Amino acid sequence: MKNTKNRPENKNHYVERFTKGWAIYIKNPMGKAGLIILLIFMLMAIASFFVPLLGPVYDPMTGADPNITYSTGPSFQHWLGTDFIGRDLFVQLLEGAKVAFIVGLSCAFISVVLGTAIGMISGYAGGIIDTLLMRVADIFMVLPSLVILLILASLWELSIWVIIFIIAIMRWPSVSRIIRSQTLSLKSRPFIEASRVAGASNFRIIFKHIMPNVLPLAFLYMTFRVTSAILVEAALSFLGFGDPGQVSWGMMLQWVWSSGHMFQAPYWLLPPGICISLLTLSFYMLGRAMDEVLDPRLRKEGEGE
Amino acid sequence: MALLRVENLSVGYKSKHGLIHAVNNISFSIEKGRSLGFVGESGCGKTTLGMTLMGLLPENASILQGDIFFNDDNLAGFNDEKWRTFRGKEISMIFQAAMNALNPVIRVDEQIAEVIAIHNPQMPRTQVFDQVKKIFDLVEIPEDRLRDFPHQYSGGMKQRAIIAMALACAPKLIIADEPTTALDVIVQDQILKEIKKIQTALNTSLIFISHDIAVVADVCRDICVMYGGQIVEKGNREEVFQSPRHPYTRSLLESFLTLDSNGDIKVPEIRESPDLITITGGCSFAASCKKKCEKCENRNPGWVNLSSTHQALCFEEVIHKD
Amino acid sequence: MKTKKFIFNKLIEITILFFIILTILFFLFRAAPGDPITRMVDPNLTPEDIQHLIAQMGLDQPAWKQYIIYIKNFFTGNLGHSFHYGAPVSSIILNRMPCTILLFTTSTLLAAFVGVFLGKIAAWKKGSRLDNFLSIGALLCHTLFIPWFALLVLWILAYKVGWFPLGGIISPELWIWDTSIFIKVLDVLHHMFLPLLTLFIIHLGSYLLLMRSSMLGVIKEEYIITARAKGLSDKVIRDKHAARNAALPVITSVGLSLAFSINGGALTEQIFTWPGIGRELIFAVSNNDYPLAQACFLLITAVVLIANLIVDLLYAYMDPRIKY
Amino acid sequence: MTEEQNNQTPIIELNGVTKEYSSKKNFLSKGEASIIALNNISLAIQKKEIFGLVGQSGSGKTTIGRILVKLEEPTKGIIKLNGKPTNNLKGRLLKNYRSKVQMIFQDPYQSLNPHLSIAETIIEPLVVNRIGNTATRREKVIETLEIVGLSPGQEFFHRYPHQLSGGQRQRVAVARAIILDPEFIVADEPTSMMDATIAIQLFQLLLDIRKKFKMTFLFITHNLAAAKYLCDRIAVINNGVIVETGIADKVIKNPQNAYTKKLILAQPGFNFKN
């Protein structure tokens, strides 16, 4: 038969859904703005790979300008100025963008994958498994992540990847709670029961029926997780407990604060903070705009049905 | 003079695909103390009509043309402020109980008291609650349930509370939109009796909207059958239900199951729902009509008088073709 | 009666949770590299005192015995000795606690009330210029980096303009001399203003956004149409019918976001040198004062757990559908 | 309990089926009161009949349907399929049972997965039961689509639920239920969300299917008129107890039980007396 027709038609459905969602998304000024800011930061992060190649002076960590031994303001040579040992602040800012992206995206990815998996299992299995998993989630939920990181940082020296991992571990419960409640409501939907009546296994029901329905939500939560991960890592670095071998925006603020330049060097104080806020803001705006795509209730009337 | 007179009313919704003509050029009137039923299938515009009469259209909907005369006022030209003093006092509405029409965090008596209080600002609080008690008596809710929250009520009691709310200010016209759809048959029967009893006792006018022909026939003396945003047949209930003339009314009645129907049920053909966006010159039912002729598709049908009260929106030839 | 039972059950749950956390903490400190004795006992003490402390905390015993002693000490209020202050940890944190509670509850309550109020208005006028202004403002607040914002506030309002002190909770000179209680209170408020402002701004955003989206959901409910059909005024519908329902999810999220707010609280205390638990914790961690750090952490955990219980009760009080 | 017991074994037999739900909140407060949804239900459904189960919401009628398709297990009592007890089936036996007993759900908007195409939905029973290969499955789906009146089948093959009307969706649900050629189908209020004219079309379809494939139906409804139109025999259920069973016409013309009488009296009809 003409079985070959099956595939492309199938794909079309997802393409169609994507284009439809995109059309709603791009109409949202907030989503557009978020995307543009995000693209700028991405360019900065990419640039951070190339700038150090210009010369040893432009290494964000060790590249002290030999001519400068104190913090200087913006100049032609150093666009944003230098810190107190003569390192270029703009280079550090670029490096910070890279770190923020790595921290934000990997934390969000780990915590959302973990949270989605646990949430689906918990919601679908129910009973004692559900109770146990949710109790564990409760414990993580009440613990302030920064405080935990501080305690751990006082006992061990944490590298950036360990920090990422710990933040991710602290952040899955809220995701899994939402995915769980979504799964619970899906579980009692007739189409899941119809599939059970047809003889489908639990495995099939979770992957074929529940997962496609919760994935958009999980994806949405990923953008929100990025925001909180970046903020926590920056706060940790700011307090001096970040990865000492890694320049980041939080670290830059830590230096300006601990070296006592905070009231003297606005060119040093302002950019990292603005960057952190803007980057988290852009992810947040992205999420909000996506929320509108996903939640038909918030769509303008008449476009829904 | 008629209490309510609707003339050439059209209501449209803005949508991505264009303007949806949910209500299309409707005219009818209702006298004081009469009951008028609107019956039709989902999407025929009956709910939109009810919401228009209450001034509760959603933001993307608007009255395109026509007038709604209530006594001497034209409701079509009302602003928000005027509607506010009008709604609940002159016209009120009975909603579907299952649709969670009662606020879950406010006690039932308070929800009814506030209607009275808002329209009678100088009435003292104690008198307001006396009034609430009287209305509860009327709809037969026991007095000790007054201070309950809505979730403590059964479906039937919720519906009674909603009726009580509609009656609170003794309005001249009550609009009931599918008031019994979510209820069980036995409870539905009680509520329908309640509505009939109150309507005759207070001599108010009633507009009753439902998809269930038998329910409408039970409650209302005059009937309007709606299809595709238009009234296609109107008359008193004996005329409409015992000698229907419009092909749509006929197919509706022929396929309606009752306890008395024997093997005489006719299964209608599968038909497409009418297109409410592109209004072509022609009868909206033409595509599904068994008796259609050539002009049905390109000319607008007109009102055919069958008796002094009975009319159908069709062509003479079609109606008399058997 | 049922409420009492609910509280009782919740208290048991909280106690269990607390002990799990306590246990994890105990083993964390034992699992860390290095010598637990130097970590737990103040090196500045005399050798006899050190021996005494080691015996008291059972540090020469096997791990499980240490754990039992640890629990026993916890119950008798013996949380160890601070290295830096050379005083019992319990007295230090009891001293810091009122400062934190004062700052934290004031800012949370203030932000919640204002946020709920503004969120309500923004949602009601969805799409208007006011709504756009409030939502964007709230978004900016919500994504602010707290320490940076605190430094900015400090720089402008304290350093440049000089309206407020740079840090601390009191001006010592006022407290040495006999001044009236009124002046003392004013002095504390003067010191509190900047940290309060910081925390207020940060929390305001999230409460506003939450209330706004919750309200937008409620506005679509049928009972709002009913309320309109009654002829009620917009204000009554908004405040009486919509806002009360919309505030319910906001209450829940206050509980859920407590842990998050504590992060912000600690950072704010640190920058404004506000003598609270958060600052003490950061200080203890930076100076390897482990007993003090442990105690601060446990106190914070207990506070979060109890606050969550209060939130649950408040929710039940607000929502008649829930009866415990 | 049923009159005219023919010699055949009934296809479905319920014997003293009771279902209790305990309202347990969490592990600290042990279950207090339990709700009895079904109380000692006994029923026998013969081959090729359409058996109507009439009751109001909360009467337990849906629970019977769910027990029959093994979405729930009874607390007490025996269920027999073709004379064999089927309680607590597991694994292959359960799969085997389910290929013989299928269900049509109430809400056509909720009973189809919005992310699966019509073909994927209807094909699922074949896939999970490993019947046929890609080509034969496709053929079977198109054939079934035509049977349920969605023709031409090719046209509906690649559509998604949101592109169909409520009536069409319910036809898809019917197609999914009949594709395995089951012996017995539970139809749980399949038309309660539909307009009367659409509902009658679906009834016609069910009658056609019964004639063509000799299937047996349990039709669960709150609408006596629909039960009378469609069913051979009906049972009236109230508060988890069956109060009356018999030939549909007889029960409605001449009800014996007080509750049935009340139910019949409450039906709105076209009697214009007042």
Side-chain angles (χ1 to χ4, degrees):
Chain A
M1 300 264 141
K2 286 174 260 170
N3 267 343
T4 40
K5 257 195 102 186
N6 201 338
R7 281 291 117 195
E9 286 264 5
N10 237 345
K11 214 171 147 195
N12 269 345
H13 169 62
Y14 288 99
V15 172
E16 185 202 336
R17 277 229 313 258
F18 179 78
T19 39
K20 230 174 163 182
W22 176 253
I24 299 171
Y25 178 90
I26 206 67
K27 248 191 250 165
N28 186 328
M30 203 180 258
K32 229 187 298 186
L35 208 61
I36 291 168
I37 303 174
L38 201 62
L39 283 175
I40 293 171
F41 278 111
M42 264 183 206
L43 283 179
M44 284 176 67
I46 293 167
S48 77
F49 286 100
F50 300 106
V51 173
L53 302 178
L54 293 176
V57 184
Y58 294 107
D59 187 290
M61 200 62 179
T62 56
D65 191 329
N67 305 323
I68 296 172
T69 51
Y70 52 92
S71 174
T72 56
S75 64
F76 186 69
Q77 200 123 38
H78 303 286
W79 292 352
L80 283 180
T82 63
D83 70 359
F84 61 113
I85 50 173
R87 291 178 296 191
D88 189 294
L89 288 173
F90 186 67
V91 177
Q92 291 188 346
L93 207 65
L94 294 184
E95 180 75 5
K98 182 176 86 184
V99 175
F101 267 106
I102 292 174
V103 169
L105 292 178
S106 27
C107 270
F109 183 75
I110 300 171
S111 63
V112 167
V113 168
L114 209 63
T116 308
I118 293 176
M120 284 200 310
I121 292 170
S122 187
Y124 187 74
I128 187 82
I129 297 177
D130 182 32
T131 313
L132 275 178
L133 285 175
M134 283 304 112
R135 286 297 125 144
V136 174
D138 276 350
I139 296 182
F140 280 102
M141 201 103 127
V142 297
L143 295 176
S145 48
L146 182 65
V147 173
I148 295 279
L149 274 165
L150 282 174
I151 296 271
L152 292 174
S154 74
L155 296 171
W156 286 277
E157 194 160 282
L158 305 177
S159 79
I160 189 84
W161 285 104
V162 175
I163 292 172
I164 287 173
F165 187 71
I166 294 170
I167 297 177
I169 290 286
M170 300 294 303
R171 288 303 159 108
W172 64 265
S174 52
V175 180
S176 68
R177 273 189 171 267
I178 282 145
I179 297 293
R180 172 180 171 269
S181 67
Q182 185 80 0
T183 308
L184 274 179
S185 88
L186 282 169
K187 196 172 99 177
S188 59
R189 296 258 182 97
F191 70 80
I192 303 279
E193 298 194 324
S195 171
R196 269 169 72 196
V197 170
S201 62
N202 291 336
F203 188 79
R204 185 185 164 86
I205 289 173
I206 289 188
F207 283 95
K208 188 94 188 172
H209 292 285
I210 292 181
M211 201 147 94
N213 283 292
V214 299
L215 269 188
L217 199 66
F219 194 61
L220 169 67
Y221 269 81
M222 193 123 61
T223 62
F224 293 135
R225 291 302 93 177
V226 172
T227 306
S228 67
I230 292 174
L231 288 175
V232 169
E233 194 278 334
L236 193 68
S237 299
F238 171 77
L239 291 174
F241 291 93
D243 186 338
Q246 183 63 60
V247 176
S248 69
W249 290 333
M251 199 70 100
M252 290 173 71
L253 284 173
Q254 143 78 9
W255 285 328
V256 72
W257 189 47
S258 63
S259 67
H261 283 77
M262 54 185 168
F263 300 147
Q264 275 77 40
Y267 54 87
W268 188 357
L269 173 68
L270 291 178
I274 293 174
C275 281
I276 294 174
S277 294
L278 267 186
L279 180 59
T280 51
L281 183 69
S282 69
F283 272 111
Y284 206 86
M285 294 202 285
L286 211 68
R288 297 264 302 198
M290 258 163 54
D291 199 15
E292 209 149 309
V293 176
L294 296 180
D295 187 355
R297 271 190 326 169
L298 285 181
R299 269 187 238 166
K300 296 197 181 69
E301 251 99 21
E303 276 181 2
E305 273 261 308
Chain B
M1 199 183 105
L3 176 70
L4 178 80
R5 199 152 44 87
V6 172
E7 282 174 7
N8 306 327
L9 180 70
S10 293
V11 180
Y13 286 87
K14 281 188 218 98
S15 87
K16 220 171 24 187
H17 309 289
L19 193 66
I20 299 172
H21 299 262
V23 167
N24 193 1
N25 203 11
I26 275 187
S27 304
F28 65 89
S29 64
I30 176 170
E31 307 285 333
K32 188 172 178 353
R34 298 285 288 187
S35 52
L36 176 62
F38 281 86
V39 68
E41 294 178 293
S42 50
C44 72
K46 55 189 193 301
T47 296
T48 306
L49 178 64
M51 288 312 218
T52 312
L53 296 182
M54 282 297 284
L56 289 176
L57 285 175
E59 265 170 47
N60 62 334
S62 57
I63 296 178
L64 302 175
Q65 60 157 10
D67 298 303
I68 307 166
F69 294 106
F70 186 87
N71 286 335
D72 298 323
D73 299 315
N74 188 351
L75 306 189
F78 265 26
N79 59 16
D80 281 358
E81 194 46 51
K82 268 191 160 164
W83 267 121
R84 207 167 291 135
T85 54
F86 197 79
R87 278 197 290 253
K89 192 177 181 203
E90 306 288 333
I91 304 183
S92 67
M93 194 156 191
I94 301 175
F95 293 93
Q96 195 180 317
M99 298 212 317
N100 150 35
L102 294 169
N103 192 327
V105 302
I106 301 178
R107 291 180 198 277
V108 178
D109 62 341
E110 170 60 26
Q111 295 195 43
I112 290 158
E114 71 182 356
V115 197
I116 302 170
I118 194 96
H119 294 297
N120 302 289
Q122 62 288 76
M123 195 187 272
R125 199 88 179 130
T126 49
Q127 204 185 327
V128 169
F129 278 93
D130 284 345
Q131 191 76 24
V132 172
K133 261 182 217 154
K134 265 188 224 152
I135 295 164
F136 265 77
D137 272 351
L138 194 66
V139 297
E140 293 165 15
I141 299 179
E143 204 168 295
D144 58 328
R145 304 299 297 274
L146 270 168
R147 300 281 301 152
D148 282 5
F149 285 102
H151 71 275
Q152 292 163 297
Y153 275 19
S154 68
M157 280 180 67
K158 267 188 216 160
Q159 193 59 67
R160 283 165 197 272
I162 290 166
I163 294 173
M165 211 141 79
L167 292 177
C169 289
K172 300 193 182 75
L173 174 65
I174 296 176
I175 300 169
D177 185 6
E178 305 267 9
T180 59
T181 299
L183 302 174
D184 288 333
V185 186
I186 293 174
V187 185
Q188 164 173 296
D189 192 45
Q190 292 164 356
I191 296 290
L192 291 181
K193 281 192 182 126
E194 199 76 61
I195 291 177
K196 277 190 282 187
K197 189 188 87 188
I198 288 165
Q199 195 238 331
T200 31
L202 304 181
N203 198 27
T204 52
S205 305
L206 173 72
I207 289 182
F208 193 100
I209 297 169
S210 178
H211 70 283
D212 192 328
I213 306 174
V215 167
V216 174
D218 192 19
V219 180
C220 303
R221 291 175 168 274
D222 303 309
I223 306 291
C224 290
V225 180
M226 285 187 76
Y227 180 82
Q230 290 176 309
I231 296 175
V232 293
E233 183 160 2
K234 53 186 169 190
N236 63 42
R237 63 179 170 196
E238 288 79 7
E239 291 167 335
V240 173
F241 289 134
Q242 280 166 357
S243 53
R245 302 311 296 268
H246 193 281
Y248 175 69
T249 318
R250 289 186 163 200
S251 84
L252 211 56
L253 282 161
E254 278 166 357
S255 62
F256 191 78
L257 293 170
T258 62
L259 287 182
D260 319 311
S261 51
N262 296 311
D264 53 1
I265 293 294
K266 283 192 190 152
V267 179
E269 310 259 308
I270 297 174
R271 57 169 175 252
E272 302 276 316
S273 47
D275 181 0
L276 298 175
I277 292 177
T278 45
I279 299 289
T280 53
C283 173
S284 55
F285 189 60
S288 319
C289 186
K290 274 187 220 157
K291 301 206 276 183
K292 69 163 179 231
C293 57
E294 264 171 55
K295 63 175 164 186
C296 292
E297 298 208 320
N298 42 42
R299 272 180 50 195
N300 274 323
W303 285 103
V304 178
N305 285 324
L306 301 157
S307 78
S308 61
T309 48
H310 192 188
Q311 293 168 298
L313 188 68
C314 200
F315 294 104
E316 295 269 0
E317 307 89 295
V318 177
I319 283 199
H320 299 299
K321 184 162 91 183
D322 258 313
Chain C
M1 218 28 237
K2 278 211 164 155
T3 315
K4 263 188 198 155
K5 199 176 163 202
F6 169 79
I7 296 176
F8 180 72
N9 285 343
K10 267 285 173 194
L11 279 176
I12 292 178
E13 259 180 70
I14 284 177
T15 321
I16 295 171
L17 259 177
F18 187 77
F19 272 93
I20 294 172
I21 293 167
L22 194 72
T23 310
I24 294 173
L25 195 68
F26 173 83
F27 286 107
L28 262 183
F29 274 79
R30 297 301 176 286
D35 179 16
I37 295 182
T38 54
R39 205 174 305 123
M40 297 313 294
V41 180
D42 191 347
N44 300 330
L45 293 176
T46 58
E48 295 89 70
D49 283 341
I50 290 180
Q51 278 314 311
H52 176 70
L53 262 178
I54 287 176
Q56 195 190 26
M57 298 177 73
L59 289 173
D60 47 355
Q61 310 270 355
W64 64 272
K65 262 195 182 157
Q66 283 186 32
Y67 179 65
I68 291 170
I69 295 170
Y70 171 75
I71 299 281
K72 208 166 77 193
N73 281 342
F74 177 80
F75 266 108
T76 51
N78 180 359
L79 298 169
H81 235 69
S82 162
F83 302 173
H84 182 263
Y85 297 98
V89 166
S90 46
S91 68
I92 299 168
I93 59 172
L94 280 181
N95 189 317
R96 301 287 182 267
M97 188 120 108
C99 302
T100 295
I101 289 180
L102 175 69
L103 181 63
F104 203 73
T105 38
T106 328
S107 64
T108 306
L109 290 180
L110 217 60
F113 280 116
V114 178
V116 162
F117 179 74
L118 292 179
K120 180 176 84 180
I121 291 172
W124 196 251
K125 296 259 173 262
K126 193 192 173 217
S128 69
R129 197 176 289 173
L130 181 70
D131 173 37
N132 286 338
F133 172 75
L134 286 175
S135 313
I136 292 172
L139 263 181
L140 282 173
C141 292
H142 187 64
T143 52
L144 268 180
F145 184 48
I146 303 163
W148 178 73
F149 179 67
L151 283 177
L152 219 59
V153 165
L154 201 61
W155 178 43
I156 296 169
L157 292 182
Y159 183 79
K160 283 266 182 203
V161 193
W163 289 346
F164 298 99
L166 280 166
I169 184 169
I170 48 164
S171 324
E173 66 276 10
L174 279 180
W175 294 65
I176 294 168
W177 302 316
D178 245 2
T179 38
S180 73
I181 186 82
F182 179 69
I183 292 189
K184 284 178 180 170
V185 169
L186 271 187
D187 182 45
V188 170
L189 287 179
H190 190 214
H191 280 83
M192 196 165 99
F193 185 82
L194 289 185
L196 189 67
L197 177 75
T198 310
L199 283 176
F200 171 74
I201 293 279
I202 295 233
H203 292 153
L204 179 69
S206 53
Y207 288 126
L208 200 159
L209 291 173
L210 260 166
M211 182 64 183
R212 182 177 174 274
S213 73
S214 172
M215 190 83 172
L216 284 179
V218 168
I219 287 174
K220 298 265 156 78
E221 295 283 347
E222 272 78 24
Y223 51 76
I224 298 299
I225 298 179
T226 315
R228 287 180 60 201
K230 287 178 184 176
L232 300 179
S233 71
D234 261 24
K235 199 167 168 298
V236 173
I237 299 174
R238 186 190 70 190
D239 295 350
K240 187 170 166 187
H241 286 267
R244 275 181 65 182
N245 284 288
L248 289 173
V250 178
I251 294 176
T252 328
S253 74
V254 172
L256 293 180
S257 64
L258 261 177
F260 174 75
S261 332
I262 289 208
N263 291 344
L267 289 164
T268 310
E269 285 185 2
Q270 170 74 350
I271 287 167
F272 293 101
T273 57
W274 184 263
I277 298 284
R279 177 160 180 266
E280 208 56 62
L281 177 86
I282 295 171
F283 175 84
V285 167
S286 315
N287 291 289
N288 295 335
D289 193 341
Y290 297 102
L292 186 58
Q294 262 195 52
C296 289
F297 177 73
L298 286 177
L299 186 75
I300 288 173
T301 314
V303 167
V304 175
L305 287 173
I306 291 166
N308 265 303
L309 172 65
I310 294 171
V311 167
D312 276 356
L313 288 173
L314 193 66
Y315 189 91
Y317 174 74
M318 293 276 292
D319 190 343
R321 283 164 295 187
I322 294 182
K323 279 278 160 285
Y324 293 122
Chain D
M1 78 235 109
T2 55
E3 55 262 75
E4 44 198 301
Q5 195 93 26
N6 19 12
N7 301 333
Q8 271 181 309
T9 42
I11 184 161
I12 285 281
E13 211 182 331
L14 295 168
N15 239 328
V17 169
T18 298
K19 176 77 187 175
E20 288 177 23
Y21 293 103
S22 58
S23 56
K24 208 161 77 175
K25 257 197 175 167
N26 61 37
F27 63 97
L28 279 169
S29 61
K30 285 266 147 34
E32 287 135 27
S34 64
I35 301 150
I36 297 172
L38 295 178
N39 193 359
N40 201 18
I41 298 275
S42 294
L43 267 184
I45 299 170
Q46 304 295 338
K47 278 211 176 85
K48 284 183 273 178
E49 78 174 335
I50 298 186
F51 189 90
L53 192 57
V54 184
Q56 302 291 284
S57 58
S59 61
K61 58 186 194 301
T62 297
T63 311
I64 293 185
R66 293 171 62 83
I67 284 177
L68 284 177
V69 294
K70 299 270 165 214
L71 283 170
E72 273 168 60
E73 280 291 327
T75 323
K76 258 192 294 192
I78 299 165
I79 302 153
K80 286 183 189 163
L81 176 70
N82 291 321
K84 281 183 225 115
T86 62
N87 291 41
N88 295 313
L89 292 177
K90 290 248 153 56
R92 278 191 62 150
L93 289 172
L94 179 62
K95 232 178 186 173
N96 194 22
Y97 178 88
R98 282 185 162 154
S99 68
K100 288 182 192 149
V101 180
Q102 282 292 311
M103 185 158 183
I104 302 165
F105 291 85
Q106 176 178 10
D107 184 348
Y109 291 87
Q110 297 271 310
S111 70
L112 304 181
N113 187 340
H115 292 264
L116 296 189
S117 72
I118 302 308
E120 285 173 293
T121 300
I122 300 177
I123 232 168
E124 183 166 47
L126 297 177
V127 174
V128 297
N129 286 294
R130 304 221 169 79
I131 296 167
N133 58 36
T134 326
T136 58
R137 280 175 195 165
R138 188 189 154 90
E139 219 167 310
K140 178 94 181 157
V141 168
I142 290 179
E143 190 190 313
T144 317
L145 277 170
E146 310 239 329
I147 291 170
V148 297
L150 295 175
S151 62
Q154 265 96 349
E155 202 180 290
F156 288 90
F157 199 79
H158 294 296
R159 292 218 203 157
Y160 280 82
H162 68 91
Q163 297 165 315
L164 304 185
S165 70
Q168 287 174 325
R169 286 184 205 212
Q170 202 60 304
R171 283 166 191 268
V172 172
V174 173
R176 171 176 57 195
I178 64 168
I179 196 161
L180 288 175
D181 276 320
E183 297 172 24
F184 181 63
I185 292 180
V186 177
D188 183 6
E189 304 221 39
T191 60
S192 69
M193 322 273 288
M194 294 176 186
D195 282 326
T197 48
I198 313 284
I200 196 104
Q201 289 163 7
L202 197 84
F203 292 157
Q204 196 57 48
L205 175 66
L206 294 184
L207 289 170
D208 287 348
I209 287 171
R210 176 191 41 183
K211 213 195 271 166
K212 221 181 269 175
F213 301 100
K214 315 215 169 354
M215 284 177 193
T216 314
F217 285 90
L218 173 69
F219 178 67
I220 299 173
T221 186
H222 64 272
N223 185 344
L224 262 177
K228 177 176 180 265
Y229 176 73
L230 198 60
C231 303
D232 305 308
R233 289 193 303 143
I234 59 169
V236 180
I237 181 169
N238 183 28
N239 286 333
V241 180
I242 290 190
V243 295
E244 187 161 1
T245 315
I247 308 281
D249 287 333
K250 278 191 192 162
V251 171
I252 285 162
K253 276 212 189 83
N254 187 16
Q256 299 301 312
N257 180 278
Y259 177 76
T260 317
K261 283 180 193 160
K262 216 165 123 190
L263 209 56
I264 290 169
L265 271 180
Q267 296 279 339
F270 297 96
N271 44 339
F272 314 124
K273 260 152 228 149
N274 47 339

